Amino acid sequence: MAEGSQLIRGLEGVVAAETKLCDLDGANGRLAYGGYNIDDLARQATFEEVCYLLWHGELPKAAQLDRITTELIAAREIPPALLDAFRLMPKDTDPMRVLQAATAMLGMRDPDATDNAHAANLRKAVRLTSQMATAICAHHRVRSGQAPIPPAPDLSHAANFLYMLSGDRPSAVTVKAFDACLTLYAEHELNASTTTTRVITSTQADMHSAVAGGVGALKGTLHGGAGEAVMRTLMEIDEVGNVDRFADRALAEKRRLMGFGHRVYRAGDPRAAILRGMAEEACRQSGQFKWYEMAVKLHDRIGKAKGLIPNVDFYSAPLFYSLGIPVDLFTPVIAAGRIAGWTANIIEQHDDNRLIRPRAEYVGPPARAWVARGRR
Ligand SMILES: CC(C)(COP(=O)(O)OP(=O)(O)OC[C@H]1O[C@@H](n2cnc3c(N)ncnc32)[C@H](O)[C@@H]1OP(=O)(O)O)[C@@H](O)C(=O)NCCC(=O)NCCS
């Protein structure tokens, strides 16, 4: 290890980049993109506006919003070769593995594939945002033995996603909830997957390579995979009356409870508070209020017993479930939102790059004499 440096496990508290994208105040539980509070964005902005804000640093004026919306719609088609690839993949392959492969394949067909210039990166950010959404839905259709649904150019990004998944045009209430979810997941500073995209970018690798790495990092249960794990926990509990018994056992076993705790937020995750209200509404609408009731009871029990806060992935689980998202698509849906932030971070990193290369402290055996093969 370099002289004078200190081992910081998990890089906790290390500041590794300057950013204009996201202001995360963990002590006070506040989050803002480009200076705009997450509460205002989730309630009032569309995902298209949030994409523009992250990519250009300002909320779009009317003509700019028209242009970005048109560009996103025009970019929704995916290459037929990708659909062929989905048909060849094992039906039981998990959708995040498929999304990682699909991202790499989209890079093979992108006209700006290896161009890391600012303008080319903006074009790729638009294409990847739209194409990833289409790829997630098309793969789900193919693995379910159904024909992929072509994107509908008259629908917003959020509405079109839900339409491509089920073939039904979603209600305005459902679209608003899903759109707000995409916004809430769009950006979150140097979380593990965004850091991964920045590390890859810092070597001068291209955007698709960096995003494919980000997808891999997001998959783990300590990161984006937690949402799916929360829903599986709620399914394991099954009834509100079982929450106490489950919580007692989980606490006694010192089980790691998915959807609780956060590396940065100490006073609460502001996204969880917004999602809680949305989950309550969506679970009521879907006629499956028990998922919300179970989540609230579990939140209460675990909060009182361990002081742990629910994070973004806790209430998004019953919410996604009520919106009809298949449980193993929760993490791909998070990726469909986070792509906005990944691409914005990649652009920021390319525009002011320094290779990201930390050091390790060597704790192996001391220097040893070579031992010839026959003498070991
Ligand atoms: C997110 C997370 C990885 C952050 O962890 P971290 O900053 O590395 O914190 P640690 O894992 O060091 O945990 C600190 C303490 O809180 C406890 N803790 C943290 N999260 C916990 C959880 N979800 N369940 C049970 N205990 C938890 C740890 O056991 C540890 O206790 P100890 O000091 O007595 O050993 C962690 O909270 C976690 O694993 N959460 C569940 C997965 C999840 O929801 N991820 C999505 C994040 S948005």
Side-chain angles (χ1 to χ4, degrees), residues 9-10 12 185 188 191 220-227 229-230 250-251 254-266 269 271 302 306 308-314 338:
R9 279 173 58 78
E12 183 164 357
Y185 274 109
H188 209 231
N191 58 84
T221 52
L222 295 190
H223 194 9
V230 168
L251 289 166
K254 298 200 183 309
R255 188 164 155 174
R256 189 155 288 246
L257 289 145
M258 293 296 130
F260 285 98
H262 199 274
R263 174 63 67 80
V264 182
Y265 290 120
R266 294 298 167 214
D269 183 334
R271 302 165 299 174
I302 300 303
K306 290 202 70 148
L308 285 170
I309 55 144
N311 58 49
V312 66
D313 297 321
F314 188 70
R338 187 57 54 86

Side-chain angles (χ1 to χ4, degrees), residues 62 80 86 92 98-99 101 120 123-124 126 182 192 220 286 298 340 347 369:
F86 290 157
D92 58 352
V98 173
L99 185 59
R123 290 194 293 271
K124 285 189 278 190
V126 168
L182 294 177
S286 71
L298 189 61
I347 292 170

Side-chain angles (χ1 to χ4, degrees), residues 96 99-100 132 185 191-194 196 211-227 313 330-339 342:
M96 283 301 276
L99 185 59
Q100 195 174 28
M132 262 178 73
Y185 274 109
N191 58 84
S193 60
T194 304
T196 304
V211 170
V215 172
L218 186 74
K219 179 179 176 179
T221 52
L222 295 190
H223 194 9
D313 297 321
F330 286 12
T331 324
V333 163
I334 294 169
R338 187 57 54 86
I339 184 64
W342 284 337

Side-chain angles (χ1 to χ4, degrees), residues 59-356:
L59 284 173
K61 297 190 171 85
Q64 292 165 328
L65 182 58
D66 279 352
R67 197 173 328 126
I68 194 101
T69 304
T70 309
E71 286 171 7
L72 282 162
I73 291 169
R76 283 179 184 166
E77 296 286 341
I78 55 173
L82 188 53
L83 290 174
D84 291 341
F86 290 157
R87 292 188 186 103
L88 293 172
M89 289 173 185
K91 292 273 181 294
D92 58 352
T93 299
D94 76 80
M96 283 301 276
R97 196 180 295 288
V98 173
L99 185 59
Q100 195 174 28
T103 305
M105 286 192 68
L106 287 168
M108 297 173 201
R109 306 262 170 178
D110 195 289
D112 294 309
T114 52
D115 187 347
N116 293 335
H118 188 86
N121 277 337
L122 281 172
R123 290 194 293 271
K124 285 189 278 190
V126 168
R127 282 198 286 271
L128 260 170
T129 301
S130 287
Q131 291 177 326
M132 262 178 73
T134 308
I136 292 164
C137 298
H139 168 253
H140 175 67
R141 301 283 300 182
V142 169
R143 73 167 173 166
S144 317
Q146 296 169 298
I149 295 166
D154 61 319
L155 294 180
S156 70
H157 188 82
N160 178 56
F161 187 101
L162 295 170
Y163 168 69
M164 290 189 298
L165 205 55
S166 68
D168 300 326
R169 289 186 168 241
S171 71
V173 178
T174 302
V175 172
K176 177 59 206 149
F178 190 67
D179 188 280
C181 289
L182 294 177
T183 289
L184 288 167
Y185 274 109
E187 162 61 6
H188 209 231
E189 203 218 47
L190 291 195
N191 58 84
S193 60
T194 304
T195 303
T196 304
T197 67
R198 279 200 181 242
V199 169
I200 295 174
T201 302
S202 82
T203 69
Q204 300 286 19
D206 58 81
M207 185 176 276
H208 287 81
S209 305
V211 170
V215 172
L218 186 74
K219 179 179 176 179
T221 52
L222 295 190
H223 194 9
E228 176 179 341
V230 168
M231 198 61 223
R232 299 212 185 278
T233 303
L234 294 178
M235 289 167 146
E236 178 189 337
I237 299 172
D238 192 41
E239 292 298 335
V240 184
N242 297 335
V243 170
D244 280 328
R245 201 169 344 119
F246 170 86
D248 289 342
R249 205 179 56 233
L251 289 166
E253 290 170 357
K254 298 200 183 309
R255 188 164 155 174
R256 189 155 288 246
L257 289 145
M258 293 296 130
F260 285 98
H262 199 274
R263 174 63 67 80
V264 182
Y265 290 120
R266 294 298 167 214
D269 183 334
R271 302 165 299 174
I274 302 168
L275 285 160
R276 177 177 169 156
M278 288 163 52
E280 179 176 8
E281 187 61 31
C283 290
R284 187 172 284 126
Q285 294 264 341
S286 71
Q288 293 202 303
F289 200 58
K290 74 169 190 177
W291 302 117
Y292 175 73
E293 289 180 292
M294 282 162 59
V296 169
K297 195 160 181 196
L298 189 61
H299 169 180
D300 199 50
R301 275 296 316 267
I302 300 303
K304 283 200 179 106
K306 290 202 70 148
L308 285 170
I309 55 144
N311 58 49
V312 66
D313 297 321
F314 188 70
Y315 284 107
S316 68
L319 173 58
F320 285 162
Y321 194 73
S322 302
L323 296 179
I325 313 275
V327 178
D328 66 355
L329 290 193
F330 286 12
T331 324
V333 163
I334 294 169
R338 187 57 54 86
I339 184 64
W342 284 337
T343 49
N345 274 271
I346 291 165
I347 292 170
E348 212 177 45
Q349 183 72 35
H350 267 308
D351 288 351
D352 181 22
N353 187 45
R354 183 134 206 263
L355 178 71
I356 300 172

